[in-house]
Amino acid sequence: MESKICNLATQFFQDLKSFLRRCFFFILSVGPMPKHIAFIMDGNRRYAKKQNLEEGAGHKEGYSALMNMLRYCYEFDVKYVTVYAFSIENFKRRPEEVQSTMELIREKLDSLIDRESVLNEYGVRVYVIGNFELLSNSVKLAAKRAMDATADNSKSVLLICIAYTSTDEIVHAIEKTYEEKSEEFRVLDSSGTAGYGLIGLRCNGENKDKSLIDVEDIEKHMRMAVAPDPDIIIRTSGETRLSNFLLWQSASSLLYSPHEFWPEIGFRHLVKAILDFQRNFSYLKKKREHN
Amino acid sequence: MAAMLSFQIHPSTLKHQRFPHVPLNKLSPNTCCPLFSSVSKATNLSGPRGNGVLVNCLPPVDNHADEDPGSVPPDLRKDSMPSHVAVIMDGNRRWAQRRGLPSVWGYEAGAQAFRTVVDLCCKWRITVLTVEIDFIMELLERALRDELQQLMRKKIRVSLIGDCTRLPKHLQVLLKEAEETTKNNSQLHLVFALNYSGQNDILQACQNMALKVKDGLIEPEDINKFLLEKELETNCTEFPNPDLLIRTSGELRISNFFLWQLAYTELYFANSLWPDFGEDEFVEALSSFQQRQRRYGGRSGS
């Protein structure tokens, strides 16, 4: 009987919180709302140390925080959410730590597609973005399962960056651009004009012809080309650096760095970020049009 | 070790801003200029300002260079100064607007702050300083013409990155001359980023590599991030990637300034407008940098 009352009470408070969040949404949505928010989930291990938890517990708390933030973002009609789960540079850590993190990632990728998960509730399509050649088979397969299971969802999008760095993404996009253009290069080369085509406007101001390689060519081969540029990038734990995350895409992104560690992030941080975004919106819009 | 300082001149300024020619004698410090006097009283500027010298873009040499070179303020540690600092010098126009002044006063005051930071970098042995400035071409031209001797005296090397093809020809020539004349200087490497865009820098590197593939100098499989970095315009410096990026005026974004080079750069957003950025603010930014724990993806030391 007591546990039944407890459950009812818990349900009541959750419904109340959800109602209050909807009220915030109606108020905030009077102004412009971000379409894409990216998160650098920094501070899981420091959180675990601060709370005297064992090492892996920080990541588990971090996963709960992620699910909450996803719920809040999708309630706020933020169509795209990107999270930086594992950098290529993180492979430099101790092998045991890398392995346990990869195992956790695999486990969580599988739980994302559970029937009760936030993703199914909000019709979220999953993309796993990164250099798959660096991943173990089990993680690769889990990523593929998550992407296949949600391929028909279209309401919102979750991009999970695993084995990702921006520099790797840019080099990969350039390689793909060369592959695509190699035929055109060969044709032009045989006619002796390939050199002129390759030189962009910067090197040869008089050449007004469209160069063979343009910014759009590189952009369409970016792994993140499935989403627009992020409006806001949030990095927790107070660090203000991008750590090789979305360098190409972050030119006009608002950068927000709350001091709390990732497992401590909450609804109030999202509201603050959106308010900052709305304050800067018209200026950002002019900058984007200019760029 | 020479320090590198890079400055970026924003393309929107080149398109829309023109400084109406004001004869120098109207702005002379020896002339009573009520507007200027009210500025120096009202703004309570910190740093080497308020002394009536907003005439020249870069006022006469102060004595910082004669003090003990390499001595740093007590708040800073000499052994962990950044090798390369990048600055987005934002807020000159807003500074002038808030005082009801024409924009040109903002740029003149901004030039003063720029001078202060250059001197401090020389003094504190910061190797490279990259700057994005919202400058007016006439001011830049005057600065280069008037200050070349000072640059030689202080052993400051000047470099230019970005697209200068849209500048007037005579300014392009002046910039080239400054680069050539100062190329052997080694105290501070001062890099002007003029109409520079991180995406365009990567694009031109990509195009250069494609040319080399076409000419058989490299194979397509050889292309990697190290090769790409060598082709970036910032490869003209000893430390191409900034350790610290400072942006003034409270704007919390990078705006397609550096891109590839900012992968692990510590970002510092100062609320003050650029003309108000002086030694105190610079010390605060460097102190914040020195307190950060840079892990480059690895684990923290504990």
Side-chain angles (χ1 to χ4, degrees):
Chain A
M1 180 63 184
E2 274 183 19
S3 65
K4 204 174 174 180
I5 294 173
C6 262
N7 288 341
L8 281 171
T10 307
Q11 187 61 43
F12 170 74
F13 281 117
Q14 280 185 4
D15 290 344
L16 181 63
K17 282 196 278 189
S18 178
F19 172 73
L20 287 172
R21 288 198 302 268
R22 283 192 188 288
C23 292
F24 266 100
F25 170 65
F26 283 124
I27 297 167
L28 286 176
S29 60
V30 168
M33 293 293 279
K35 285 281 159 258
H36 181 177
I37 298 181
F39 294 99
I40 301 177
M41 304 186 290
D42 198 10
N44 289 328
R45 289 171 303 168
R46 277 169 285 166
Y47 173 81
K49 199 170 167 209
K50 178 178 149 186
Q51 303 289 340
N52 294 318
L53 304 172
E54 58 181 46
E55 200 172 292
H59 291 298
K60 292 196 170 95
E61 298 276 327
Y63 180 77
S64 304
L66 172 61
M67 289 299 111
N68 288 337
M69 291 309 289
L70 289 180
R71 179 183 297 284
Y72 306 150
C73 285
Y74 298 134
E75 280 177 359
F76 272 34
D77 244 2
V78 177
K79 180 158 181 180
Y80 298 89
V81 176
T82 302
V83 296
Y84 199 11
F86 195 87
S87 162
I88 293 176
E89 304 292 334
N90 294 154
F91 282 113
K92 288 184 208 164
R93 294 179 181 175
R94 288 174 301 136
E96 316 81 72
E97 188 182 338
V98 171
Q99 198 177 348
S100 73
T101 309
M102 281 291 141
E103 179 52 35
L104 181 69
I105 287 174
R106 187 203 58 73
E107 183 192 313
K108 296 309 177 191
L109 280 171
D110 283 333
S111 66
L112 277 179
I113 52 179
D114 282 347
R115 226 172 302 151
E116 300 87 30
S117 86
V118 169
L119 268 52
N120 275 324
E121 194 179 332
Y122 291 96
V124 181
R125 180 170 183 177
V126 173
Y127 288 96
V128 179
I129 307 282
N131 189 340
F132 274 38
E133 287 172 25
L134 301 174
L135 294 174
S136 63
N137 276 333
S138 60
V139 177
K140 263 193 273 202
L141 287 170
K144 194 166 183 312
R145 278 196 295 272
M147 289 195 280
D148 290 344
T150 59
D152 294 333
N153 292 346
S154 57
K155 275 186 71 183
S156 312
V157 179
L158 172 64
L159 302 106
I160 308 174
C161 294
I162 303 174
Y164 172 92
T165 57
S166 245
T167 46
D168 179 77
E169 181 190 24
I170 291 168
V171 170
H172 175 260
I174 290 173
E175 286 168 356
K176 289 288 168 204
T177 306
Y178 286 161
E179 276 175 28
E180 185 193 24
K181 298 285 185 179
S182 58
E183 189 50 40
E184 290 180 50
F185 290 170
R186 257 198 299 276
V187 166
L188 281 174
D189 199 20
S190 59
S191 66
T193 56
Y196 292 109
L198 280 167
I199 295 172
L201 290 175
R202 198 198 73 79
C203 303
N204 183 359
E206 290 83 35
N207 180 7
K208 297 287 189 276
D209 297 331
K210 189 180 184 311
S211 51
L212 266 188
I213 300 179
D214 221 326
V215 168
E216 288 78 26
D217 294 319
I218 301 178
E219 270 185 336
K220 76 179 185 213
H221 289 114
M222 289 284 190
R223 294 191 173 110
M224 283 291 297
V226 291
D229 291 347
D231 297 301
I232 307 174
I233 298 180
I234 300 177
R235 178 175 187 147
T236 48
S237 82
E239 307 280 10
T240 44
R241 55 179 178 264
L242 289 172
S243 293
N244 218 335
F245 182 56
L246 303 184
L247 300 174
W248 183 275
Q249 297 84 353
S250 62
S252 302
S253 307
L254 179 76
L255 306 174
Y256 174 52
S257 323
H259 283 104
E260 288 80 359
F261 298 126
W262 174 254
E264 296 167 322
I265 196 174
F267 181 68
R268 66 191 186 285
H269 301 103
L270 183 64
V271 169
K272 169 93 177 35
I274 292 176
L275 285 171
D276 282 345
F277 169 78
Q278 292 183 335
R279 261 206 303 274
N280 287 285
F281 180 75
S282 57
Y283 181 81
L284 269 173
K285 196 173 166 195
K286 271 188 231 160
K287 282 283 189 180
R288 274 207 176 126
E289 284 161 8
H290 173 79
N291 286 338
Chain B
M1 213 183 251
M4 183 156 110
L5 183 68
S6 325
F7 290 85
Q8 183 173 37
I9 296 173
H10 204 281
S12 67
T13 306
L14 302 178
K15 275 192 214 160
H16 305 301
Q17 296 295 328
R18 279 293 180 267
F19 172 26
H21 175 68
V22 177
L24 277 178
N25 60 5
K26 290 229 183 281
L27 295 170
S28 164
N30 297 322
T31 306
C32 174
C33 175
L35 183 63
F36 184 80
S37 304
S38 64
V39 167
S40 60
K41 272 183 220 158
T43 56
N44 191 27
L45 302 167
S46 59
R49 341 180 156 75
N51 57 1
V53 187
L54 276 186
V55 175
N56 296 316
C57 179
L58 298 170
V61 176
D62 59 39
N63 289 322
H64 283 175
D66 299 327
E67 291 170 15
D68 173 26
S71 65
V72 299
D75 293 344
L76 300 178
R77 298 192 309 276
K78 201 167 143 183
D79 58 349
S80 53
M81 294 295 268
S83 301
H84 180 173
V85 174
V87 184
I88 301 177
M89 297 158 64
D90 207 2
N92 295 312
R93 272 174 294 183
R94 264 171 285 172
W95 184 92
Q97 273 164 17
R98 284 185 194 176
R99 288 155 179 79
L101 298 170
S103 302
V104 65
W105 292 100
Y107 293 117
E108 291 275 11
Q112 188 101 349
F114 159 60
R115 175 63 175 246
T116 302
V117 169
V118 168
D119 282 346
L120 291 172
C121 287
C122 285
K123 185 178 160 198
W124 296 338
R125 304 284 171 85
I126 292 170
T127 307
V128 183
L129 179 56
T130 301
V131 205
E132 178 187 50
I133 46 176
D134 199 4
F135 243 37
I136 297 176
M137 281 187 286
E138 284 83 354
L139 282 180
L140 178 63
E141 191 177 333
R142 189 156 34 109
L144 286 170
R145 206 177 283 124
D146 297 347
E147 299 298 323
L148 200 51
Q149 272 186 350
Q150 281 217 47
L151 291 171
M152 292 306 293
R153 193 185 85 84
K154 292 189 167 196
K155 297 192 176 51
I156 296 175
R157 179 185 166 190
V158 168
S159 285
L160 178 68
I161 59 175
D163 179 10
C164 60
T165 55
R166 290 194 283 162
L167 289 182
K169 259 289 182 276
H170 63 275
L171 187 52
Q172 291 185 46
V173 166
L174 208 57
L175 284 162
K176 267 272 167 297
E177 265 175 34
E179 276 186 293
E180 191 54 38
T181 311
T182 61
K183 70 179 180 198
N184 294 321
N185 291 343
S186 57
Q187 177 65 24
L188 169 70
H189 194 167
L190 176 57
V191 178
F192 289 97
L194 187 67
N195 193 21
Y196 176 88
S197 137
Q199 286 187 352
N200 285 345
D201 195 5
I202 292 174
L203 178 65
Q204 68 83 28
C206 174
Q207 290 168 339
N208 287 347
M209 286 193 297
L211 277 175
K212 288 184 176 172
V213 168
K214 176 189 112 40
D215 293 340
L217 295 168
I218 52 172
E219 299 298 320
E221 308 78 68
D222 294 336
I223 289 170
N224 56 29
K225 69 174 192 171
F226 303 106
L227 223 61
L228 179 64
E229 273 172 357
K230 283 206 183 97
E231 297 293 337
L232 293 173
E233 290 185 79
T234 41
N235 200 43
C236 66
T237 68
E238 190 181 349
F239 299 99
N241 301 331
D243 299 296
L244 171 66
L245 170 77
I246 299 171
R247 181 170 191 155
T248 52
S249 86
E251 299 291 343
L252 299 169
R253 83 193 119 256
I254 295 160
S255 301
N256 199 12
F257 179 27
F258 282 148
L259 187 156
W260 179 281
Q261 298 85 346
L262 291 186
Y264 295 100
T265 302
E266 297 292 335
L267 309 173
Y268 180 83
F269 298 103
N271 285 324
S272 50
L273 301 173
W274 176 249
D276 294 327
F277 191 87
E279 181 168 345
D280 293 342
E281 288 78 10
F282 198 23
V283 167
E284 204 178 313
L286 292 170
S287 175
S288 167
F289 167 79
Q290 291 186 339
Q291 280 162 31
R292 297 182 190 192
Q293 208 179 27
R294 308 183 78 194
R295 300 187 294 273
Y296 300 94
R299 202 195 166 122
S300 56
S302 55

